Amino acid sequence: MPVDSFAYLPRSFHAEYQAIHDPPAEPVWAPFGKPAAEATIALLTSAGLYLRHTQEPFDLDGERQDPTWGDPTYRVIPRTARAGDLGAAHLHLNTRDLVADPDVALPLVTFAELERDGVIGRLADHHYSFMGYQSRALKDWRETYGPEVVAHLKREPADAVILAPA
């Protein structure tokens, strides 16, 4: 099934976004040094999920003013979060679907089942949500928020991070 990355953008933005091309990058690879059944796994989503009652949503007003900008901040989501706890703020996605079933973008329930079945060692206590559609050149993400999340993951400690792109 084809994916229309521009479905939730105003039509006037389509041509501008379709003209943007990121340079090809070398794949990032690191060997995984332990069996999954012994590993602590953290999840990272680009769906713009946040805790509705305790966290600010991602900045949609800033993105509306400058459609080439995305909020580079992140939200920490505990493993205990349930569907009713989560909201979604992202202009490029149908957030109604994400709120109805956040496991499609942050599979906490699925990975808790994998933990229970012994497929993974442990689901981390904390997971991370960004608002996707970030530019590769976004300095704040590369120099501030990305390194902060890496530091959190090292303190957890998480052996692996699964990216659940939205």
Side-chain angles (χ1 to χ4, degrees):
M1 169 167 93
V3 175
D4 181 359
S5 296
F6 310 103
Y8 297 99
L9 284 175
R11 282 205 175 296
S12 61
F13 294 170
H14 289 211
E16 181 178 348
Y17 277 103
Q18 288 170 326
I20 297 172
H21 297 285
D22 286 328
E26 290 295 318
V28 177
W29 171 255
F32 195 54
K34 64 169 58 175
E38 298 173 12
T40 298
I41 307 295
L43 304 172
L44 188 146
T45 184
S46 59
L49 297 177
Y50 63 95
L51 296 172
R52 290 180 332 143
H53 302 293
T54 59
Q55 295 175 339
E56 288 292 319
F58 288 89
D59 182 1
L60 299 182
D61 291 334
E63 188 176 13
R64 282 185 190 102
Q65 290 174 12
D66 179 0
T68 63
W69 178 86
D71 184 340
T73 62
Y74 62 92
R75 308 295 182 267
V76 179
I77 308 293
R79 73 174 278 157
T80 56
R82 297 294 171 246
D85 302 332
L86 297 171
H90 202 308
L91 294 179
H92 298 93
L93 304 170
N94 181 344
T95 57
R96 288 183 309 270
D97 293 342
L98 296 174
V99 170
D101 183 8
D103 214 51
V104 300
L106 188 67
L108 293 171
V109 173
T110 300
F111 273 81
E113 291 170 1
L114 293 172
E115 177 187 62
R116 184 193 68 226
D117 295 344
V119 175
I120 65 168
R122 193 172 87 69
L123 179 61
D125 291 330
H126 302 98
H127 307 277
Y128 301 88
S129 177
F130 283 90
M131 178 187 210
Y133 218 75
Q134 298 291 320
S135 164
R136 285 178 184 255
L138 190 62
K139 184 177 178 180
D140 288 339
W141 196 90
R142 294 177 72 136
E143 294 182 6
T144 303
Y145 302 115
E148 283 179 15
V149 169
V150 169
H152 289 303
L153 291 165
K154 286 181 177 181
R155 281 192 301 271
E156 178 92 27
D159 299 304
V161 178
I162 305 292
L163 172 61

